[in-house]
PDB file of all heavy atoms in Angstrom:
ATOM      1  N   VAL Z  10       0.832  -1.203  -0.016  1.00 97.00           N
ATOM      2  CA  VAL Z  10      -0.035  -0.044   0.025  1.00 97.00           C
ATOM      3  C   VAL Z  10       0.889   1.223   0.014  1.00 97.00           C
ATOM      4  O   VAL Z  10       1.913   1.275   0.661  1.00 97.00           O
ATOM      5  CB  VAL Z  10      -0.934   0.007   1.199  1.00 97.00           C
ATOM      6  CG1 VAL Z  10      -2.024  -1.081   1.061  1.00 97.00           C
ATOM      7  CG2 VAL Z  10      -0.185  -0.166   2.532  1.00 97.00           C
ATOM      8  N   LYS Z  11       0.446   2.291  -0.755  1.00 95.00           N
ATOM      9  CA  LYS Z  11       1.212   3.522  -0.786  1.00 95.00           C
ATOM     10  C   LYS Z  11       0.862   4.448   0.333  1.00 95.00           C
ATOM     11  O   LYS Z  11       1.648   5.383   0.665  1.00 95.00           O
ATOM     12  CB  LYS Z  11       0.923   4.181  -2.130  1.00 95.00           C
ATOM     13  CG  LYS Z  11       1.538   3.477  -3.345  1.00 95.00           C
ATOM     14  CD  LYS Z  11       1.366   4.203  -4.563  1.00 95.00           C
ATOM     15  CE  LYS Z  11       2.076   3.511  -5.772  1.00 95.00           C
ATOM     16  NZ  LYS Z  11       1.977   4.230  -7.032  1.00 95.00           N
ATOM     17  N   GLU Z  12      -0.313   4.306   0.951  1.00 94.00           N
ATOM     18  CA  GLU Z  12      -0.677   5.155   2.100  1.00 94.00           C
ATOM     19  C   GLU Z  12      -0.968   4.264   3.277  1.00 94.00           C
ATOM     20  O   GLU Z  12      -1.437   3.143   3.143  1.00 94.00           O
ATOM     21  CB  GLU Z  12      -1.974   5.948   1.687  1.00 94.00           C
ATOM     22  CG  GLU Z  12      -1.873   6.830   0.488  1.00 94.00           C
ATOM     23  CD  GLU Z  12      -0.828   8.036   0.679  1.00 94.00           C
ATOM     24  OE1 GLU Z  12      -0.669   8.353   1.849  1.00 94.00           O
ATOM     25  OE2 GLU Z  12      -0.399   8.545  -0.294  1.00 94.00           O
ATOM     26  N   GLY Z  13      -0.718   4.811   4.465  1.00 94.00           N
ATOM     27  CA  GLY Z  13      -0.949   4.019   5.640  1.00 94.00           C
ATOM     28  C   GLY Z  13       0.122   3.073   5.984  1.00 94.00           C
ATOM     29  O   GLY Z  13       1.256   3.159   5.388  1.00 94.00           O
ATOM     30  N   SER Z  14      -0.157   2.113   6.836  1.00 97.00           N
ATOM     31  CA  SER Z  14       0.833   1.198   7.369  1.00 97.00           C
ATOM     32  C   SER Z  14       0.632  -0.180   6.709  1.00 97.00           C
ATOM     33  O   SER Z  14      -0.436  -0.755   6.724  1.00 97.00           O
ATOM     34  CB  SER Z  14       0.695   1.073   8.854  1.00 97.00           C
ATOM     35  OG  SER Z  14       1.592   0.121   9.405  1.00 97.00           O
ATOM     36  N   PRO Z  15       1.713  -0.760   6.115  1.00 97.00           N
ATOM     37  CA  PRO Z  15       1.593  -2.133   5.550  1.00 97.00           C
ATOM     38  C   PRO Z  15       1.190  -3.137   6.669  1.00 97.00           C
ATOM     39  O   PRO Z  15       1.767  -3.026   7.761  1.00 97.00           O
ATOM     40  CB  PRO Z  15       2.988  -2.348   4.965  1.00 97.00           C
ATOM     41  CG  PRO Z  15       3.634  -1.035   4.901  1.00 97.00           C
ATOM     42  CD  PRO Z  15       3.019  -0.190   6.007  1.00 97.00           C
ATOM     43  N   THR Z  16       0.311  -4.063   6.394  1.00 97.00           N
ATOM     44  CA  THR Z  16      -0.017  -5.166   7.311  1.00 97.00           C
ATOM     45  C   THR Z  16      -0.020  -6.437   6.578  1.00 97.00           C
ATOM     46  O   THR Z  16      -0.324  -6.538   5.383  1.00 97.00           O
ATOM     47  CB  THR Z  16      -1.416  -4.897   8.004  1.00 97.00           C
ATOM     48  OG1 THR Z  16      -2.391  -4.796   6.920  1.00 97.00           O
ATOM     49  CG2 THR Z  16      -1.431  -3.581   8.846  1.00 97.00           C
ATOM     50  N   LEU Z  17       0.276  -7.543   7.288  1.00 98.00           N
ATOM     51  CA  LEU Z  17       0.341  -8.853   6.788  1.00 98.00           C
ATOM     52  C   LEU Z  17      -0.939  -9.564   7.218  1.00 98.00           C
ATOM     53  O   LEU Z  17      -1.076 -10.050   8.324  1.00 98.00           O
ATOM     54  CB  LEU Z  17       1.544  -9.608   7.323  1.00 98.00           C
ATOM     55  CG  LEU Z  17       2.909  -8.989   6.896  1.00 98.00           C
ATOM     56  CD1 LEU Z  17       4.038  -9.668   7.571  1.00 98.00           C
ATOM     57  CD2 LEU Z  17       3.114  -9.045   5.386  1.00 98.00           C
ATOM     58  N   PRO Z  18      -1.972  -9.522   6.379  1.00 97.00           N
ATOM     59  CA  PRO Z  18      -3.260 -10.045   6.669  1.00 97.00           C
ATOM     60  C   PRO Z  18      -3.272 -11.583   6.989  1.00 97.00           C
ATOM     61  O   PRO Z  18      -2.580 -12.304   6.392  1.00 97.00           O
ATOM     62  CB  PRO Z  18      -4.196  -9.828   5.503  1.00 97.00           C
ATOM     63  CG  PRO Z  18      -3.200  -9.736   4.383  1.00 97.00           C
ATOM     64  CD  PRO Z  18      -1.973  -9.067   4.930  1.00 97.00           C
ATOM     65  N   GLY Z  19      -4.015 -11.962   7.993  1.00 96.00           N
ATOM     66  CA  GLY Z  19      -4.109 -13.380   8.329  1.00 96.00           C
ATOM     67  C   GLY Z  19      -3.016 -13.844   9.311  1.00 96.00           C
ATOM     68  O   GLY Z  19      -3.068 -14.968   9.721  1.00 96.00           O
ATOM     69  N   LEU Z  20      -2.037 -12.962   9.640  1.00 97.00           N
ATOM     70  CA  LEU Z  20      -0.998 -13.321  10.560  1.00 97.00           C
ATOM     71  C   LEU Z  20      -1.145 -12.481  11.792  1.00 97.00           C
ATOM     72  O   LEU Z  20      -1.815 -11.470  11.870  1.00 97.00           O
ATOM     73  CB  LEU Z  20       0.353 -13.031   9.986  1.00 97.00           C
ATOM     74  CG  LEU Z  20       0.695 -13.907   8.718  1.00 97.00           C
ATOM     75  CD1 LEU Z  20       2.031 -13.509   8.158  1.00 97.00           C
ATOM     76  CD2 LEU Z  20       0.699 -15.438   9.084  1.00 97.00           C
ATOM     77  N   PRO Z  21      -0.593 -13.025  12.981  1.00 96.00           N
ATOM     78  CA  PRO Z  21      -0.676 -12.274  14.201  1.00 96.00           C
ATOM     79  C   PRO Z  21      -0.159 -10.859  14.044  1.00 96.00           C
ATOM     80  O   PRO Z  21       0.687 -10.525  13.243  1.00 96.00           O
ATOM     81  CB  PRO Z  21       0.107 -13.090  15.216  1.00 96.00           C
ATOM     82  CG  PRO Z  21       0.288 -14.405  14.537  1.00 96.00           C
ATOM     83  CD  PRO Z  21       0.145 -14.292  13.119  1.00 96.00           C
ATOM     84  N   VAL Z  22      -0.640  -9.919  14.890  1.00 95.00           N
ATOM     85  CA  VAL Z  22      -0.167  -8.541  14.899  1.00 95.00           C
ATOM     86  C   VAL Z  22       1.258  -8.471  15.128  1.00 95.00           C
ATOM     87  O   VAL Z  22       1.967  -7.638  14.532  1.00 95.00           O
ATOM     88  CB  VAL Z  22      -0.933  -7.706  16.040  1.00 95.00           C
ATOM     89  CG1 VAL Z  22      -0.343  -6.317  16.100  1.00 95.00           C
ATOM     90  CG2 VAL Z  22      -2.389  -7.664  15.745  1.00 95.00           C
ATOM     91  N   SER Z  23       1.893  -9.485  15.871  1.00 94.00           N
ATOM     92  CA  SER Z  23       3.330  -9.476  16.149  1.00 94.00           C
ATOM     93  C   SER Z  23       4.149  -9.627  14.811  1.00 94.00           C
ATOM     94  O   SER Z  23       5.307  -9.423  14.851  1.00 94.00           O
ATOM     95  CB  SER Z  23       3.658 -10.559  17.138  1.00 94.00           C
ATOM     96  OG  SER Z  23       3.222 -11.849  16.667  1.00 94.00           O
ATOM     97  N   ALA Z  24       3.476 -10.126  13.733  1.00 97.00           N
ATOM     98  CA  ALA Z  24       4.177 -10.356  12.450  1.00 97.00           C
ATOM     99  C   ALA Z  24       4.504  -9.043  11.823  1.00 97.00           C
ATOM    100  O   ALA Z  24       5.398  -8.931  11.029  1.00 97.00           O
ATOM    101  CB  ALA Z  24       3.423 -11.228  11.563  1.00 97.00           C
ATOM    102  N   ASN Z  25       3.687  -8.020  12.107  1.00 97.00           N
ATOM    103  CA  ASN Z  25       3.826  -6.673  11.499  1.00 97.00           C
ATOM    104  C   ASN Z  25       4.838  -5.895  12.232  1.00 97.00           C
ATOM    105  O   ASN Z  25       4.647  -4.826  12.781  1.00 97.00           O
ATOM    106  CB  ASN Z  25       2.482  -6.000  11.495  1.00 97.00           C
ATOM    107  CG  ASN Z  25       1.466  -6.767  10.687  1.00 97.00           C
ATOM    108  OD1 ASN Z  25       1.580  -6.859   9.517  1.00 97.00           O
ATOM    109  ND2 ASN Z  25       0.423  -7.194  11.314  1.00 97.00           N
ATOM    110  N   THR Z  26       6.131  -6.337  12.197  1.00 98.00           N
ATOM    111  CA  THR Z  26       7.224  -5.687  12.918  1.00 98.00           C
ATOM    112  C   THR Z  26       7.580  -4.318  12.253  1.00 98.00           C
ATOM    113  O   THR Z  26       7.206  -4.106  10.996  1.00 98.00           O
ATOM    114  CB  THR Z  26       8.464  -6.584  13.038  1.00 98.00           C
ATOM    115  OG1 THR Z  26       8.891  -6.796  11.663  1.00 98.00           O
ATOM    116  CG2 THR Z  26       8.100  -7.846  13.660  1.00 98.00           C
ATOM    117  N   ASP Z  27       8.262  -3.533  12.930  1.00 97.00           N
ATOM    118  CA  ASP Z  27       8.739  -2.214  12.389  1.00 97.00           C
ATOM    119  C   ASP Z  27       9.564  -2.383  11.141  1.00 97.00           C
ATOM    120  O   ASP Z  27       9.398  -1.733  10.157  1.00 97.00           O
ATOM    121  CB  ASP Z  27       9.488  -1.444  13.468  1.00 97.00           C
ATOM    122  CG  ASP Z  27       9.954  -0.074  12.895  1.00 97.00           C
ATOM    123  OD1 ASP Z  27       9.072   0.888  12.953  1.00 97.00           O
ATOM    124  OD2 ASP Z  27      11.079   0.075  12.454  1.00 97.00           O
ATOM    125  N   VAL Z  28      10.428  -3.465  11.150  1.00 97.00           N
ATOM    126  CA  VAL Z  28      11.386  -3.611  10.023  1.00 97.00           C
ATOM    127  C   VAL Z  28      10.585  -4.163   8.834  1.00 97.00           C
ATOM    128  O   VAL Z  28      10.913  -3.806   7.681  1.00 97.00           O
ATOM    129  CB  VAL Z  28      12.578  -4.530  10.416  1.00 97.00           C
ATOM    130  CG1 VAL Z  28      12.083  -5.966  10.585  1.00 97.00           C
ATOM    131  CG2 VAL Z  28      13.635  -4.430   9.340  1.00 97.00           C
ATOM    132  N   VAL Z  29       9.558  -4.985   9.021  1.00 98.00           N
ATOM    133  CA  VAL Z  29       8.745  -5.451   7.973  1.00 98.00           C
ATOM    134  C   VAL Z  29       8.007  -4.305   7.266  1.00 98.00           C
ATOM    135  O   VAL Z  29       8.028  -4.162   6.018  1.00 98.00           O
ATOM    136  CB  VAL Z  29       7.693  -6.512   8.404  1.00 98.00           C
ATOM    137  CG1 VAL Z  29       6.573  -6.700   7.462  1.00 98.00           C
ATOM    138  CG2 VAL Z  29       8.400  -7.842   8.768  1.00 98.00           C
ATOM    139  N   LYS Z  30       7.458  -3.351   8.054  1.00 98.00           N
ATOM    140  CA  LYS Z  30       6.711  -2.208   7.603  1.00 98.00           C
ATOM    141  C   LYS Z  30       7.692  -1.256   6.834  1.00 98.00           C
ATOM    142  O   LYS Z  30       7.441  -0.754   5.741  1.00 98.00           O
ATOM    143  CB  LYS Z  30       6.011  -1.451   8.665  1.00 98.00           C
ATOM    144  CG  LYS Z  30       4.848  -2.344   9.223  1.00 98.00           C
ATOM    145  CD  LYS Z  30       3.949  -1.492  10.217  1.00 98.00           C
ATOM    146  CE  LYS Z  30       4.735  -1.360  11.545  1.00 98.00           C
ATOM    147  NZ  LYS Z  30       3.859  -0.737  12.550  1.00 98.00           N
ATOM    148  N   LEU Z  31       8.853  -1.110   7.393  1.00 98.00           N
ATOM    149  CA  LEU Z  31       9.865  -0.218   6.782  1.00 98.00           C
ATOM    150  C   LEU Z  31      10.263  -0.786   5.359  1.00 98.00           C
ATOM    151  O   LEU Z  31      10.355  -0.035   4.407  1.00 98.00           O
ATOM    152  CB  LEU Z  31      11.177  -0.152   7.670  1.00 98.00           C
ATOM    153  CG  LEU Z  31      12.385   0.417   7.026  1.00 98.00           C
ATOM    154  CD1 LEU Z  31      12.236   1.905   6.622  1.00 98.00           C
ATOM    155  CD2 LEU Z  31      13.578   0.135   7.879  1.00 98.00           C
ATOM    156  N   CYS Z  32      10.634  -2.066   5.288  1.00 98.00           N
ATOM    157  CA  CYS Z  32      11.137  -2.619   4.150  1.00 98.00           C
ATOM    158  C   CYS Z  32      10.068  -2.715   2.999  1.00 98.00           C
ATOM    159  O   CYS Z  32      10.371  -2.377   1.813  1.00 98.00           O
ATOM    160  CB  CYS Z  32      11.613  -4.019   4.351  1.00 98.00           C
ATOM    161  SG  CYS Z  32      13.164  -4.081   5.398  1.00 98.00           S
ATOM    162  N   ILE Z  33       8.810  -2.972   3.349  1.00 98.00           N
ATOM    163  CA  ILE Z  33       7.772  -3.066   2.316  1.00 98.00           C
ATOM    164  C   ILE Z  33       7.457  -1.635   1.921  1.00 98.00           C
ATOM    165  O   ILE Z  33       7.335  -1.348   0.690  1.00 98.00           O
ATOM    166  CB  ILE Z  33       6.524  -3.669   2.928  1.00 98.00           C
ATOM    167  CG1 ILE Z  33       6.725  -5.180   3.186  1.00 98.00           C
ATOM    168  CG2 ILE Z  33       5.334  -3.519   1.950  1.00 98.00           C
ATOM    169  CD1 ILE Z  33       5.546  -5.855   3.848  1.00 98.00           C
ATOM    170  N   ALA Z  34       7.484  -0.603   2.813  1.00 98.00           N
ATOM    171  CA  ALA Z  34       7.228   0.731   2.420  1.00 98.00           C
ATOM    172  C   ALA Z  34       8.330   1.285   1.445  1.00 98.00           C
ATOM    173  O   ALA Z  34       8.024   1.946   0.500  1.00 98.00           O
ATOM    174  CB  ALA Z  34       7.169   1.659   3.683  1.00 98.00           C
ATOM    175  N   PHE Z  35       9.525   0.823   1.701  1.00 98.00           N
ATOM    176  CA  PHE Z  35      10.640   1.205   0.775  1.00 98.00           C
ATOM    177  C   PHE Z  35      10.435   0.592  -0.574  1.00 98.00           C
ATOM    178  O   PHE Z  35      10.591   1.298  -1.573  1.00 98.00           O
ATOM    179  CB  PHE Z  35      11.954   0.704   1.382  1.00 98.00           C
ATOM    180  CG  PHE Z  35      13.164   0.767   0.443  1.00 98.00           C
ATOM    181  CD1 PHE Z  35      13.561   1.949  -0.194  1.00 98.00           C
ATOM    182  CD2 PHE Z  35      13.874  -0.379   0.110  1.00 98.00           C
ATOM    183  CE1 PHE Z  35      14.581   1.998  -1.013  1.00 98.00           C
ATOM    184  CE2 PHE Z  35      14.937  -0.352  -0.696  1.00 98.00           C
ATOM    185  CZ  PHE Z  35      15.307   0.848  -1.339  1.00 98.00           C
ATOM    186  N   LEU Z  36      10.131  -0.650  -0.614  1.00 98.00           N
ATOM    187  CA  LEU Z  36       9.942  -1.400  -1.958  1.00 98.00           C
ATOM    188  C   LEU Z  36       8.726  -0.778  -2.635  1.00 98.00           C
ATOM    189  O   LEU Z  36       8.768  -0.621  -3.914  1.00 98.00           O
ATOM    190  CB  LEU Z  36       9.830  -2.898  -1.722  1.00 98.00           C
ATOM    191  CG  LEU Z  36      11.057  -3.579  -1.162  1.00 98.00           C
ATOM    192  CD1 LEU Z  36      10.693  -4.997  -0.747  1.00 98.00           C
ATOM    193  CD2 LEU Z  36      12.145  -3.640  -2.150  1.00 98.00           C
ATOM    194  N   VAL Z  37       7.686  -0.444  -1.995  1.00 98.00           N
ATOM    195  CA  VAL Z  37       6.540   0.236  -2.562  1.00 98.00           C
ATOM    196  C   VAL Z  37       6.921   1.594  -3.199  1.00 98.00           C
ATOM    197  O   VAL Z  37       6.521   1.931  -4.266  1.00 98.00           O
ATOM    198  CB  VAL Z  37       5.428   0.343  -1.580  1.00 98.00           C
ATOM    199  CG1 VAL Z  37       4.292   1.306  -2.172  1.00 98.00           C
ATOM    200  CG2 VAL Z  37       4.826  -0.993  -1.205  1.00 98.00           C
ATOM    201  N   SER Z  38       7.751   2.323  -2.415  1.00 97.00           N
ATOM    202  CA  SER Z  38       8.213   3.668  -2.865  1.00 97.00           C
ATOM    203  C   SER Z  38       8.910   3.590  -4.230  1.00 97.00           C
ATOM    204  O   SER Z  38       8.907   4.514  -5.021  1.00 97.00           O
ATOM    205  CB  SER Z  38       9.051   4.418  -1.874  1.00 97.00           C
ATOM    206  OG  SER Z  38      10.356   3.861  -1.774  1.00 97.00           O
ATOM    207  N   LEU Z  39       9.615   2.450  -4.434  1.00 97.00           N
ATOM    208  CA  LEU Z  39      10.316   2.202  -5.693  1.00 97.00           C
ATOM    209  C   LEU Z  39       9.426   1.659  -6.713  1.00 97.00           C
ATOM    210  O   LEU Z  39       9.924   1.502  -7.916  1.00 97.00           O
ATOM    211  CB  LEU Z  39      11.443   1.165  -5.469  1.00 97.00           C
ATOM    212  CG  LEU Z  39      12.621   1.534  -4.598  1.00 97.00           C
ATOM    213  CD1 LEU Z  39      13.600   0.419  -4.439  1.00 97.00           C
ATOM    214  CD2 LEU Z  39      13.344   2.709  -5.216  1.00 97.00           C
ATOM    215  N   ASN Z  40       8.182   1.304  -6.407  1.00 96.00           N
ATOM    216  CA  ASN Z  40       7.243   0.638  -7.339  1.00 96.00           C
ATOM    217  C   ASN Z  40       7.921  -0.630  -7.804  1.00 96.00           C
ATOM    218  O   ASN Z  40       7.779  -1.017  -8.993  1.00 96.00           O
ATOM    219  CB  ASN Z  40       6.898   1.589  -8.601  1.00 96.00           C
ATOM    220  CG  ASN Z  40       5.678   1.003  -9.266  1.00 96.00           C
ATOM    221  OD1 ASN Z  40       4.892   0.368  -8.747  1.00 96.00           O
ATOM    222  ND2 ASN Z  40       5.636   1.325 -10.550  1.00 96.00           N
ATOM    223  N   HIS Z  41       8.582  -1.323  -6.868  1.00 96.00           N
ATOM    224  CA  HIS Z  41       9.417  -2.483  -7.229  1.00 96.00           C
ATOM    225  C   HIS Z  41       8.532  -3.749  -7.122  1.00 96.00           C
ATOM    226  O   HIS Z  41       8.826  -4.628  -6.332  1.00 96.00           O
ATOM    227  CB  HIS Z  41      10.533  -2.572  -6.191  1.00 96.00           C
ATOM    228  CG  HIS Z  41      11.785  -3.302  -6.642  1.00 96.00           C
ATOM    229  ND1 HIS Z  41      11.957  -3.725  -7.905  1.00 96.00           N
ATOM    230  CD2 HIS Z  41      12.807  -3.689  -5.931  1.00 96.00           C
ATOM    231  CE1 HIS Z  41      13.079  -4.308  -8.007  1.00 96.00           C
ATOM    232  NE2 HIS Z  41      13.636  -4.337  -6.833  1.00 96.00           N
ATOM    233  N   SER Z  42       7.527  -3.847  -7.985  1.00 96.00           N
ATOM    234  CA  SER Z  42       6.508  -4.893  -7.874  1.00 96.00           C
ATOM    235  C   SER Z  42       7.013  -6.309  -8.114  1.00 96.00           C
ATOM    236  O   SER Z  42       6.399  -7.263  -7.736  1.00 96.00           O
ATOM    237  CB  SER Z  42       5.388  -4.576  -8.805  1.00 96.00           C
ATOM    238  OG  SER Z  42       5.743  -4.415 -10.122  1.00 96.00           O
ATOM    239  N   VAL Z  43       8.181  -6.378  -8.758  1.00 97.00           N
ATOM    240  CA  VAL Z  43       8.704  -7.739  -9.056  1.00 97.00           C
ATOM    241  C   VAL Z  43       9.011  -8.476  -7.733  1.00 97.00           C
ATOM    242  O   VAL Z  43       9.086  -9.743  -7.666  1.00 97.00           O
ATOM    243  CB  VAL Z  43      10.032  -7.689  -9.940  1.00 97.00           C
ATOM    244  CG1 VAL Z  43      11.144  -7.105  -9.187  1.00 97.00           C
ATOM    245  CG2 VAL Z  43      10.332  -8.999 -10.582  1.00 97.00           C
ATOM    246  N   THR Z  44       9.211  -7.669  -6.658  1.00 98.00           N
ATOM    247  CA  THR Z  44       9.541  -8.326  -5.385  1.00 98.00           C
ATOM    248  C   THR Z  44       8.303  -8.931  -4.657  1.00 98.00           C
ATOM    249  O   THR Z  44       8.471  -9.609  -3.666  1.00 98.00           O
ATOM    250  CB  THR Z  44      10.269  -7.314  -4.459  1.00 98.00           C
ATOM    251  OG1 THR Z  44       9.346  -6.234  -4.149  1.00 98.00           O
ATOM    252  CG2 THR Z  44      11.508  -6.774  -5.048  1.00 98.00           C
ATOM    253  N   ILE Z  45       7.117  -8.658  -5.142  1.00 97.00           N
ATOM    254  CA  ILE Z  45       5.936  -9.138  -4.541  1.00 97.00           C
ATOM    255  C   ILE Z  45       5.940 -10.687  -4.581  1.00 97.00           C
ATOM    256  O   ILE Z  45       5.658 -11.387  -3.672  1.00 97.00           O
ATOM    257  CB  ILE Z  45       4.593  -8.658  -5.223  1.00 97.00           C
ATOM    258  CG1 ILE Z  45       4.536  -7.191  -4.982  1.00 97.00           C
ATOM    259  CG2 ILE Z  45       3.348  -9.388  -4.716  1.00 97.00           C
ATOM    260  CD1 ILE Z  45       3.393  -6.472  -5.757  1.00 97.00           C
TER     261      ILE Z  45
END
């Protein structure tokens, strides 16, 4: 997602760590969709 906080649906809240959100937000900012 380009706005808001990335979340990993279906997994415990604890899975949505700060580093996971940071890294996904960075890849989204690059529009680096091949990494999906």
Side-chain angles (χ1 to χ4, degrees):
V10 292
K11 292 188 177 181
E12 302 292 339
S14 178
T16 58
L17 298 171
L20 295 178
V22 174
S23 59
N25 299 295
T26 63
D27 183 83
V28 71
V29 163
K30 291 186 286 188
L31 165 68
C32 291
I33 293 177
F35 167 59
L36 294 169
V37 170
S38 76
L39 292 176
N40 197 27
H41 204 12
S42 57
V43 73
T44 62
I45 293 173

